[in-house]
Amino acid sequence: MLLCLSGARPVRALDVFTLWRQPEIPLHIAEGSWVEYRTQTMAGGRREEGVTRIVCLDRAGGSDDDTWLLELLPLVEEDGVTRPVEGEGVQLRVSRELLSREGTFLSAIVEAVQWRGGQAHKISPEDLREDPLVAATLASDFVPDLVQQKDPTTRVVQGVQFLCDQFVMSAADTQSADLPAGRMLQFTTREIVAAVNAEVPFLGLTYVSERVRAESRLDPPSRRFKAPAPRVRVEVMELVAYGYESKPFLGAVD
C-alpha cells in the first residue's frame, strides 16, 4: 500500500513558517530580530527533540531594501543554555514580497547557502527541499479548511507574560490508489493550535501544536486484506527566547 500511495501529496512537518499565509497570524519580519523554538515530535512510539534559532540579519549583516538575509541555526543545549552548532546552518536571502502572503515560501527564496563542517556551499531551490534543516524549518505552506478563534491564553517566555490570541486550524484530505483487491482510500486530518502575540518577531508564535492522523480502508471491504493501523503524529513547537539585536553567526560567503 505504501508503494501504491507513494505518489500522494506528503503532509509536511510543522515548522516556523507553516502559517505564514494565514491572515489571522501576524507576519512581522524585522531586521535584527531572532527567535528560538524548542520542538518535540512524537510518532510511532518515538520521540525526537531539538532547538532551532531563526535570525533576520540587519543591514550590516546583509539585508537590503529588497531582501532579508536569514540564518537558520541548529542549537545544542547544555545546562539550560543554548548555543549554535559551530559551522552548521543555512543562510537564505528572501524577497520582501513575502509580505504579500502569496505563492510559496520556497519561491520567495532568492539565494541559499548551506554550511556544513564550517564550509559554505551555494545550493539550488531543488537542493533546499532536501536539506533537513530547511525541511524542518520552513518547507510547509498550510492552507486550512476551517479556522476557529478560541479564548485568549497566557504564555510565559523569558519571564514575561504574553496574552495571546489562540486559533485552531484544521484540514482534511482524501487520496486513493487502485489495487487488485479494490481501491485503497487514505484519509488524513491535520489540526494546528497556535497561540500568537504580535510582539514576538516573525509570525508572533509563542506556542504551536499539530496533530496529524492518517488511516486507510479498502473499498469494497475485503476479508483477505487488513488495512494498516491508523498513524498519528504529534508535534509541538514552543518559543523559548527571542530578541532584536542579532549578529551574524555563519559569516559572509565569498
Side-chain angles (χ1 to χ4, degrees):
M1 185 204 72
L2 294 178
L3 290 176
C4 291
L5 292 177
S6 62
R9 296 186 302 277
V11 177
R12 294 191 181 274
L14 182 69
D15 59 59
V16 173
F17 285 95
T18 292
L19 302 175
W20 74 277
R21 293 175 63 179
Q22 292 307 120
E24 301 85 1
I25 304 299
L27 180 57
H28 175 56
I29 304 178
E31 296 171 17
S33 62
W34 59 273
V35 289
E36 287 183 9
Y37 287 97
R38 179 178 288 109
T39 59
Q40 298 181 47
T41 303
M42 292 152 280
R46 299 179 59 185
R47 176 173 175 166
E48 298 180 358
E49 298 184 357
V51 186
T52 303
R53 180 183 298 167
I54 314 298
V55 179
C56 179
L57 299 178
D58 58 17
R59 299 299 175 108
S63 293
D64 55 38
D65 290 340
D66 299 318
T67 63
W68 296 291
L69 185 61
L70 307 183
E71 289 189 342
L72 315 183
L73 306 172
L75 307 182
V76 293
E77 188 171 10
E78 298 176 352
D79 299 324
V81 178
T82 58
R83 60 176 177 80
V85 179
E86 192 69 33
E88 300 289 329
V90 175
Q91 282 183 340
L92 300 176
R93 187 166 295 281
V94 178
S95 171
R96 293 183 184 244
E97 293 183 1
L98 188 77
L99 295 177
S100 68
R101 300 183 190 255
E102 297 178 353
T104 67
F105 196 98
L106 287 178
S107 67
I109 296 174
V110 177
E111 184 179 68
V113 179
Q114 182 184 64
W115 290 73
R116 286 185 177 174
Q119 300 297 315
H121 304 279
K122 291 186 178 182
I123 54 178
S124 67
E126 291 75 19
D127 293 333
L128 267 178
R129 291 173 172 84
E130 303 300 323
D131 183 271
L133 182 60
V134 173
T137 308
L138 48 79
S140 180
D141 298 294
F142 177 63
V143 179
D145 299 324
L146 178 66
V147 178
Q148 297 174 293
Q149 185 165 4
K150 300 297 184 178
D151 293 336
T153 184
T154 299
R155 303 291 302 180
V156 179
V157 181
Q158 295 178 316
V160 178
Q161 286 191 348
F162 288 94
L163 182 61
C164 301
D165 294 326
Q166 188 170 211
F167 299 94
V168 177
M169 304 181 183
S170 56
D173 184 43
T174 301
Q175 299 174 54
S176 65
D178 291 326
L179 304 177
R183 172 166 293 187
M184 178 63 70
L185 302 176
Q186 179 173 288
F187 304 93
T188 302
T189 57
R190 187 179 184 187
E191 183 180 86
I192 294 178
V193 178
V196 302
N197 184 292
E199 295 181 27
V200 176
F202 293 90
L203 270 70
L205 300 173
T206 62
Y207 176 88
V208 192
S209 67
E210 177 189 61
R211 187 178 188 273
V212 178
R213 177 182 172 88
E215 56 183 321
S216 304
R217 73 165 182 256
L218 191 66
D219 184 25
S222 172
R223 295 181 179 180
R224 300 174 54 188
F225 184 87
K226 185 177 180 180
R231 293 170 294 156
V232 177
R233 186 184 73 225
V234 177
E235 298 189 55
V236 175
M237 197 172 70
E238 186 174 13
L239 180 70
V240 294
Y242 72 100
Y244 291 92
E245 295 182 359
S246 64
K247 301 295 181 183
F249 179 78
L250 295 175
V253 180
D254 296 332

